[in-house]
Amino acid sequence: MRGSCWWLKLNRRAEHKFRQLLISSVKSVKIKLLLCCCIAFTLFVLTGKASAFVVWSNQNPVFTPYSPSRKGYSIVMNTWKRYDLLKQSVKHYASCPRLESIHIVWSEPNPPSDFLLKFLHHVVQSNSKDGRHVKLKFDVNKEDSLNNRFKEIKDLETDAVFSIDDDVIFPCPSVEFAFDVWQSAPDTMVGFVPRAHWEHSSVGDGDKFQYGGWWSVWWTGTYSMVLSKAAFFHKKYFSLYTNEMPASIREYVTKKRNCEDIAMSFLVANATGAPPIWVKGRIFEIGSTGISSLGGHSERRTECVNRFAAEYGKMPLVYTSVKAVDSRNVWFW
Ligand SMILES: *[C@@H]1O[C@H](CO)[C@@H](O)[C@H](O)[C@H]1NC(C)=O
């Protein structure tokens, strides 16, 4: 009896040990399985990401948030006796994907020469990409006035106008991005060159407002205008500028040969009650003899701001510090 009992005990012990062995081996299998799952999952995520990345980068990098049937934009370019700059600018912009037409605002006493016309038409045709046909039109004005650049254009097919000087060049991706921003806020002026008006705390006999150039905008990060030398806006503002805005402002602009861009900023701000939008973009200045490089520029601009505020009977400009940035070009989120 004792013997069998001992044997039984031994047997139980072995069974117990065997069970323990079994359990531990099951445990290790479980851990191994878990490890495998982890590795598989990591691999899956990595390859998934990689393949998704490949798909993304294979796609056309030009992002079109709207259906392609939607109209593009027109360029309205102000120029003055700088044919080499004009040729360079027209040649560059003709290659931008969603550009429909280029309108050149011509205010010189002599109309454009046949040679220039032929040359520009040729340049536009040879630089239009993907079989598109970008139209080129000259708007010849008799009077030499800065208001000409905001005259109504009868055959303008697009709502979006990109107003530009002939001496600044923006790469097409910058222009197209600004166009995207404009499409999400079509009443707003969307541009690359921000400026501000500063209010004096001590109001004396002199000017109440001061025009703030690039440095003050850079320092404060705040602005209230974008200049029409490089800005998108709706074509309806052409007719507002020419027909609705007080004539005294247009006369002032003609007489002083300055500030048509400030006048347009006032007009849009008064119509919308909202600030413009500054878009980040690369700028290449190809000319160096603009108005802004002449002496006394800031004083004259300050005079304009005060004059226009008096005409409106208030200050319509609104401050903002918003800047639109293409998030694909931002490295760190
Ligand atoms: C400013 O906007 C108001 C309201 O839209 C309008 O009645 C007024 O005529 C505008 N002022 C000017 C000078 O355009």
Side-chain angles (χ1 to χ4, degrees), residues 94-333:
S95 66
C96 292
R98 283 181 285 168
L99 177 69
E100 298 266 332
S101 59
I102 301 178
H103 298 257
I104 293 165
V105 180
W106 190 269
S107 307
E108 295 177 23
N110 300 318
S113 69
D114 282 346
F115 176 75
L116 183 70
L117 285 181
K118 259 188 200 153
F119 182 88
L120 288 180
H121 276 289
H122 171 73
V123 156
V124 167
Q125 269 184 357
S126 55
N127 282 283
S128 307
K129 295 217 169 105
D130 313 325
R132 291 173 317 125
H133 180 65
V134 174
K135 297 184 195 87
L136 177 70
K137 298 239 167 96
F138 276 77
D139 300 305
V140 181
N141 298 279
K142 291 200 178 70
E143 188 197 15
D144 167 27
S145 165
L146 283 173
N147 295 318
N148 289 345
R149 74 179 305 166
F150 298 142
K151 269 193 183 167
E152 268 182 284
I153 299 172
K154 289 281 178 281
D155 51 356
L156 205 61
E157 287 159 352
T158 64
D159 286 343
V161 171
F162 184 45
S163 168
I164 185 96
D165 279 358
D166 56 4
D167 60 350
V168 279
I169 281 190
F170 294 86
C172 288
S174 293
V175 177
E176 302 273 319
F177 174 66
F179 180 45
D180 288 339
V181 174
W182 178 84
Q183 282 182 312
S184 60
D187 286 336
T188 309
M189 253 179 118
V190 173
F192 294 105
V193 188
R195 294 290 181 266
H197 70 287
W198 303 116
E199 283 173 50
H200 288 295
S201 47
S202 57
V203 184
D205 294 336
D207 292 335
K208 189 167 178 229
F209 302 104
Q210 196 184 348
Y211 180 75
W214 187 83
W215 283 107
S216 70
V217 172
W218 176 78
W219 185 252
T220 59
T222 303
Y223 62 99
S224 56
M225 299 175 252
V226 295
L227 300 187
S228 54
K229 70 188 282 177
F232 274 94
F233 51 80
H234 196 284
K235 70 172 175 189
K236 69 184 175 186
Y237 292 121
F238 281 152
S239 82
L240 281 182
Y241 187 97
T242 311
N243 306 318
E244 308 283 328
M245 193 175 74
S248 52
I249 295 182
R250 283 191 303 275
E251 283 156 19
Y252 186 86
V253 165
T254 305
K255 201 176 86 192
K256 298 279 176 175
R257 295 184 148 275
N258 204 336
C259 300
E260 86 287 3
D261 47 0
I262 298 180
M264 185 51 109
S265 288
F266 270 69
L267 176 88
V268 177
N270 181 62
T272 60
I277 300 176
W278 172 20
V279 174
K280 182 189 168 92
R282 290 205 295 154
I283 307 180
F284 298 94
E285 304 218 18
I286 54 175
S288 56
T289 51
I291 300 173
S292 53
S293 53
L294 299 176
H297 176 68
S298 179
E299 287 75 23
R300 289 163 68 197
R301 305 282 279 180
T302 291
E303 212 183 301
C304 293
V305 170
N306 285 284
R307 177 69 182 255
F308 297 163
E311 293 277 356
Y312 277 83
K314 62 171 183 182
M315 170 48 78
L317 297 178
V318 183
Y319 289 112
T320 184
S321 53
V322 171
K323 183 175 182 179
V325 180
D326 190 338
S327 53
R328 289 168 302 178
N329 299 339
V330 181
W331 274 81
F332 192 70
W333 189 239

Side-chain angles (χ1 to χ4, degrees), residues 62-78:
V62 176
F63 175 65
T64 42
Y66 300 96
S67 64
S69 64
R70 234 177 115 125
K71 279 263 158 71
Y73 57 91
S74 304
I75 280 181
V76 175
M77 189 182 290
N78 205 39

